[in-house]
């Protein structure tokens, strides 16, 4: 490895920089810091895999900040001197003492000013309370849905600007709601920023906690700020109350309320957003040690300042900014960040999720019911505000209602009469996908209707999306990619939580996968809805909206935040109507109990339902925002990588617009930043990152690959010749090369585990237990074989009997897990398994988070008190990622079968076609294997969570022994991995393994 800290004499070992690691690092931690340092020094894109328990986050922090410190020391930027002044004014004033006054004001004057502000805010709050009481009294006498008389309703559209202002009006590009940051001071730091992103605020808080362990945290040149949404940071209790509907805080409504209050731009708006208060509190916040979002919220409440805008001010003047996925991976949210990504260092944790997350930000689905609810709400809105809307706004809202009505009429035609008739008769509906005799990967293509999945619908489009009627194959996939990836689709009935590529192809044991096609009779394919792809032009002509300025109307709706106001209006009207219905019900019951009090006043009969004109409930109105996004993406944005999918249904057809190629949405991050690092505990297989996220900018180009010691090289991408690798020298020269071709150099670093190989018993089990001992073949055509299911139960029983702790069994889909347990229940297998092992069997529910946590707590309780239990989970489900099955909670992990995605999925076929076009047919052909094994590796990673942990990892399917699948398993498992052609010796190996581990610990 080249040195980056100075000159190296011939024959000398390269000298590592001072990484500032708080503890003596393990060799794998040192290797990761070296890889990060070199990646940043050469301006490359890095993919870093470091298993859980290896100190990944701390190594990323130290490697990154050590490079930034040395970069400053080389005189590349004056950011260190500027950052040292971040606690004070740009003029050089010392950071204010919290006990002192603000700026030049004496403390007693400052205190009086603060007291006056608090009293004024309290007065405004009392006055607002009185206004709201009067508005509620007026609302009781008003018709349902009408605004309160005399009240300045938050649902009313603002009047359009006139004259020159209309031409100068700009679209809403600010964060979430149109409010801009109030910090008008120039940033104190001008050097490269570090932007760290993860999925949740909790994970970002953990990142800040790891940073606090290092010496960099105390250095004023490495200030950190954490960003968050208003739902997390808003401290205005009244705004939060108004944004809560049905006990749930509506984030979009909270954004709209903040915008209506004027954010920080009006003194008469939110009392926490006054510019003078924010400026003063911002100075005080910068003088404190940085904290997470909870610290910022507490600080904002203490100083009567908005934590949301305080965090944005702090981010603009910080070296390190922690951002949730939603703020970085969405193009719209990125444009509103208070951080310029130009020449920044972007580190994305949980990098295996990035493709799905990027695609999901641009995926919107609307149903016929949503369009009907939106249209009804628009009509009520127009009726309620007919006399208050500006004439231009009224015209555009009516035109927009006409466009939505046309879309509704078009989508009504997508009702499936055959499915409706079959449902009414109680018979199964006819299949809508042609099953065909599909071939394995790499085999010759078969007759029309085969390949990557033709549709037997009227549209007849193949899943590749580029062939004409007749369903003749994968369209644009070419020779190798044009064949199906292994067989039989399980379809939507599997309903696994993992989405193939983030756009709707569900993983659920849906493919036979690699290997020869089974000669056994094939099962009937579960019912799937009829689907077809349409273009934006086809949609507009089919809906009859080609003759109107639909793009202009969609842009108007977004700029005016119409659908946000419409949703709030509908929710309020619904709540009022339901409250009125409840009052009538109570009055009816009282009347029945007490009898009529007078002859003239007779209450209406009691009813448990709302009035007939009640708008849809909040759960339906939440879809109104999706109508806004759908119209904008179809009529205005029209990205090249988006696809429109129409799904027929008996009663509620849907239309979805989805991104199928994340690279087109992520390219500006790679182009603008200095370096991007994707890090995670389980990144392999990484082929999808190269082909779908970091693909070359033009077809036929190749990524080069730089392998570090301890890393492995993906098979798809050849390394660049040594002469073309960047050599140590001018940073500016390397930077210029990266800007010209940002995808050219990709670093992949893969390190081992802190756990030694002898603490892992990893096995591929190719044959079951029991007298017949069938082959563990869980392909779709064979997976419900009664003998196979009984052999599976016997194998799980024998493993669970010798494992001293919890056993976690992963099934490929919810549907298959239910079928297995139904078969076992009919034969009493589950009861026998529990009696033989002494372990209670728990199953992952498909309900909400509360149900999952309840089952998980019960399972862990049995592991603690009773010496173990058995938990059935789903690959890609709620318990397959982010859950810690360490120590006694996961002494054995069993994976049953392989969760291949459904090759009949239209969007998956489109994605494969684009990958084939951009990266070649071989890349498209490997997508199904990569998607499947990435999900498997995540499930395996739930065990072995720290250096002293140990566990058995067992893969029940003969296909895992095939070389093209085995190589995709995590690198740290290979040293311990054995293939068991028969089940016989496995129980004895398990007994010896656990006896040795218990004696060792």
């Amino acid at each position: 490895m080249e040195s980056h800290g100075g000159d190296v004499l011939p024959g000398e070992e390269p000298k590592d920089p001072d990484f500032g690691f708080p503890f003596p690092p393990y060799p794998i931690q040192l290797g990761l810091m070296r890889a990060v340092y070199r990646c940043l020094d050469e301006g490359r894109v890095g993919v870093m895999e470091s298993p859980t328990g290896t100190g990944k986050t701390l190594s990323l922090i130290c490697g990154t900040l050590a490079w930034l410190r040395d970069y400053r020391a080389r005189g590349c930027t004056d950011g260190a001197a500027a950052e040292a002044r971040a606690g004070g004014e740009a003029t050089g004033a010392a950071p204010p003492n919290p006990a002192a006054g603000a700026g030049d004001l004496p403390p007693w004057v400052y205190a009086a000013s603060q007291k006056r502000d608090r009293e004024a805010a309290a007065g405004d709050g009392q006055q607002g309370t009185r206004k709201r009481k009067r508005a509620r009294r007026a609302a009781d006498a008003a018709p349902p849905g009408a605004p309160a008389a005399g009240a300045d309703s938050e649902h009313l559209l603002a009047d359009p600007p006139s004259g020159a202002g209309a031409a100068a009006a700009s679209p809403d590009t600010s964060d979430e709601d149109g409010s801009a940051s109030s910090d008008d001071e120039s940033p104190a730091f001008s050097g490269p920023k570090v932007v760290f992103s993860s999925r949740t605020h909790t994970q970002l808080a953990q990142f800040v906690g790891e940073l606090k362990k290092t010496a960099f945290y105390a250095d004023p040149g490495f200030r950190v700020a954490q960003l968050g949404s208003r739902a997390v940071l808003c401290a205005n209790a009244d705004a939060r109350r108004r944004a809560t509907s049905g006990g749930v805080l509506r984030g979009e409504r909270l954004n709209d309320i903040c915008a209506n209050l004027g954010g920080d731009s009006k003194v008469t708006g939110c009392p926490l957003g006054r510019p003078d208060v924010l400026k003063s509190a911002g100075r005080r916040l910068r003088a404190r040690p940085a904290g997470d979002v909870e610290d910022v919220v507490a600080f904002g409440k203490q100083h009567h300042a908005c934590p949301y805008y305080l965090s944005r001010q702090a981010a603009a003047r910080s070296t390190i900014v922690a951002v949730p996925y939603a703020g970085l991976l969405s193009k719209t949210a990125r444009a509103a960040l208070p951080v310029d990504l130009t020449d920044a260092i972007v580190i994305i944790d949980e990098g295996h999720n990035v493709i799905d997350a990027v695609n999901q930000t641009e995926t919107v689905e609307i149903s016929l019911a949503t369009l009907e609810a939106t249209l009804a709400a628009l009509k009520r809105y127009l009726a309620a505000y007919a006399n208050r809307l500006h004439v231009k706004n009224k015209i555009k809202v009516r035109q927009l209602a006409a466009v939505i009505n046309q879309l509704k009429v078009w989508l009504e035609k997508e009702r499936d009469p055959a499915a409706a008739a079959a449902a009414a008769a109680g018979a199964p509906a006819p299949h809508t996908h042609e099953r065909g005799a599909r071939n394995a990967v790499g085999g010759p293509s078969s007759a029309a209707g085969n390949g990557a999945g033709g549709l037997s619908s009227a549209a007849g489009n193949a899943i590749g999306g580029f062939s004409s009627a007749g369903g003749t194959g994968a369209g644009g996939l070419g020779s190798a990619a044009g064949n199906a990836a292994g067989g039989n689709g399980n379809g939507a009935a599997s309903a696994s939580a993992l989405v193939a590529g983030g756009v709707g192809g569900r993983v659920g044991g849906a493919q036979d996968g690699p290997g020869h096609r089974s000669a056994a009779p094939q099962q009937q394919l579960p019912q799937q809805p009829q689907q077809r792809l349409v273009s934006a032009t086809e949609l507009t002509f089919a809906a009859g909206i080609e003759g109107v300025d639909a793009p202009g109307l969609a842009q108007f709706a977004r700029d005016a935040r119409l659908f946000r106001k419409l949703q709030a209006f509908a929710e309020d009207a619904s709540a009022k109507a339901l409250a009125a219905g409840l009052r009538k019900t109570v009055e009816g019951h009282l009347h029945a109990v007490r009898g009529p009090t007078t002859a003239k006043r007779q209450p209406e009969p009691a009813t448990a339902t709302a009035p007939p004109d009640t708008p849809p409930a909040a759960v339906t109105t939440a879809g109104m925002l999706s109508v806004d996004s759908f119209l904008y993406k179809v009529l205005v944005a029209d990205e090249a990588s988006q696809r429109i999918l129409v799904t027929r249904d008996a009663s509620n057809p849907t239309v979805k617009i989805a991104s199928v190629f994340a690279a087109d949405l992520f390219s500006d991050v790679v182009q603008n930043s200095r370096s991007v690092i994707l890090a995670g505990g389980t990144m392999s297989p990484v082929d999808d990152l190269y082909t779908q996220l970091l693909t070359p900018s033009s077809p036929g180009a190749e990524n080069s690959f730089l392998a570090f010691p301890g890393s492995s090289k993906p098979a798809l991408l050849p390394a660049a010749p040594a002469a073309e690798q960047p050599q140590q020298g001018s940073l500016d020269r390397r930077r210029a090369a990266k800007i010209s071709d940002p995808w050219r150099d990709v670093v992949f670093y893969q390190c081992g585990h802190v756990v030694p190989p002898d603490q892992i018993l990893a096995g591929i089990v190719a044959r079951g237990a029991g007298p017949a001992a069938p082959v563990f073949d869980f392909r779709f055509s064979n997976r419900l074989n009664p003998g196979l299911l009984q052999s599976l139960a016997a194998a799980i029983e024998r493993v669970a009997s010798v494992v001293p702790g919890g056993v976690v069994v992963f099934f490929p889909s919810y549907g298959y897990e239910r079928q297995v347990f139904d078969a076992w229940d009919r034969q009493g297998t589950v009861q026998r398994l529990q009696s033989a092992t002494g372990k209670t069997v728990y199953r992952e529910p498909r309900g909400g988070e509360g149900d999952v946590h309840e089952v998980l707590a019960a399972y862990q309780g049995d592991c603690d008190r009773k010496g173990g239990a058995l938990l059935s989970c789903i690959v890609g489900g709620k318990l397959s990622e982010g859950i810690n099955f360490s120590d006694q909670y996961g002494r054995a992990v069993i994976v049953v079968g392989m969760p291949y995605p459904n090759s009949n999925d239209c969007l998956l076929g489109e994605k494969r076609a684009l990958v084939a076009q951009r990266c070649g047919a071989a890349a498209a052909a490997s997508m199904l294997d990569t998607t499947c094994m990435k999900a498997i590796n995540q499930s395996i990673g739930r065990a072995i969570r720290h250096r002293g942990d140990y566990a058995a990892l067992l893969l029940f399917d003969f296909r895992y022994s095939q070389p093209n699948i085995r190589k995709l398993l995590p690198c740290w498992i290979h040293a311990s991995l054995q293939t068991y052609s028969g089940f016989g010796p496995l129980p004895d190996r398990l007994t010896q393994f656990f006896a040795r581990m218990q004696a060792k610990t």
Side-chain angles (χ1 to χ4, degrees), residues 887-898:
D887 300 321
Q888 72 272 20
Y889 303 132
R891 287 301 181 207
V893 172
I894 300 173
V895 181
V896 178
M898 299 182 69

Side-chain angles (χ1 to χ4, degrees), residues 509-809:
Q511 304 293 337
D512 284 351
H516 299 290
R517 188 158 47 91
S518 173
Q522 298 190 355
Q523 301 173 23
Q524 188 180 21
L525 186 67
Q527 172 62 28
Q528 298 184 38
Q530 198 172 26
Q531 297 178 332
R532 79 175 193 274
L533 293 164
V534 299
S535 67
T537 302
E538 291 171 342
L539 188 153
T540 55
F541 274 88
I545 57 175
E546 75 283 358
V548 299
D549 183 19
L553 292 175
Q555 186 69 58
F556 156 76
R558 172 150 296 198
D559 293 345
R561 302 191 301 276
L562 170 62
F563 285 94
R564 297 184 184 183
K565 296 178 181 295
L566 183 66
Q567 178 181 344
F569 165 80
E571 289 176 351
D572 285 351
S574 177
K576 291 175 183 177
L578 291 175
L582 181 61
R583 283 198 302 270
K584 293 178 181 179
T585 302
V586 173
E587 290 174 359
H589 284 300
L590 291 176
H591 173 69
V593 173
R594 300 175 181 175
T597 56
T598 66
K600 295 182 179 179
R601 183 180 178 183
Q602 296 289 343
E604 295 181 11
T607 176
T609 59
D613 60 346
T614 300
V619 66
T620 303
T621 59
M624 293 180 185
L625 294 178
S626 64
V627 177
D628 177 29
S629 299
F630 181 85
L631 292 175
Y632 186 82
K633 292 181 186 302
V634 172
L635 302 174
V636 180
D638 195 18
E639 299 282 352
S641 61
Q642 72 184 20
R643 297 293 182 269
I644 302 174
L645 178 71
V646 181
T647 302
R648 304 191 73 187
D649 185 74
S651 59
N652 192 28
T654 62
V655 56
K656 176 197 295 186
I657 182 168
S659 167
V660 294
F661 206 65
D664 290 349
L665 305 173
F666 194 70
S667 60
D668 61 315
V669 177
V670 181
Q671 287 175 321
N672 295 332
S673 59
R674 175 187 179 85
S675 189
V676 176
I677 294 179
L678 306 175
T682 305
M683 298 295 295
S684 59
V686 298
D687 290 352
D688 59 340
L689 293 175
Y690 290 89
T691 58
Q692 299 176 48
L693 191 71
L694 306 172
T695 187
S697 53
S698 58
E702 289 184 338
N703 294 327
S704 67
F705 177 82
L706 176 63
F708 286 134
S711 67
S712 61
K713 173 184 170 184
L716 290 177
L717 303 170
E724 297 182 11
Q725 297 285 1
Q727 302 298 318
Q728 186 174 5
S730 167
L731 288 173
D732 293 338
R733 185 165 62 249
R734 287 196 292 269
R735 175 63 183 157
K738 181 179 182 300
I739 289 177
S740 63
D741 191 354
W743 291 278
R744 177 159 182 73
D745 297 312
V746 180
V747 173
F748 177 40
Y749 178 82
Q750 188 178 39
C751 69
H753 211 297
V754 291
V755 174
D758 63 352
Q759 291 179 208
I760 303 172
L761 191 156
I764 297 171
V765 184
R767 188 173 292 273
V775 173
F776 269 164
D777 178 4
F778 290 96
R779 290 180 292 180
F780 186 86
S781 58
N782 190 60
R783 63 183 189 172
L784 289 181
N785 184 302
L788 177 66
L789 297 186
Q790 287 305 308
S791 180
L792 172 63
I796 293 175
E797 176 185 326
R798 295 183 64 181
V799 170
S801 298
V802 299
V803 172
V807 178
V808 182
V809 182

Side-chain angles (χ1 to χ4, degrees), residues 925-978:
S926 68
M927 281 181 59
L928 298 178
D929 287 344
T930 300
T931 302
C932 171
M933 292 308 298
K934 189 176 284 287
I936 291 293
N937 293 346
Q938 285 298 316
S939 300
I940 292 173
R942 297 311 94 210
I944 315 290
R945 308 293 289 182
H946 59 84
R947 187 174 181 83
D949 207 354
Y950 59 92
L953 309 176
L954 305 176
L955 307 174
F956 282 9
D957 199 302
F958 81 97
R959 290 172 289 176
Y960 288 108
S961 62
Q962 298 177 350
N964 63 317
I965 297 299
R966 183 172 179 142
K967 71 180 182 180
L968 299 179
L969 289 166
C971 69
W972 53 269
I973 202 177
H974 285 280
S976 309
L977 187 61
Q978 297 184 25

Side-chain angles (χ1 to χ4, degrees), residues 28-36 48 50 56 59-60 749:
I28 56 176
Q29 294 168 336
L30 189 60
L32 179 57
M33 289 187 287
R34 289 169 176 166
V36 170
M48 309 290 175
S50 183
K56 166 178 59 73
S59 300
L60 289 171
Y749 178 82

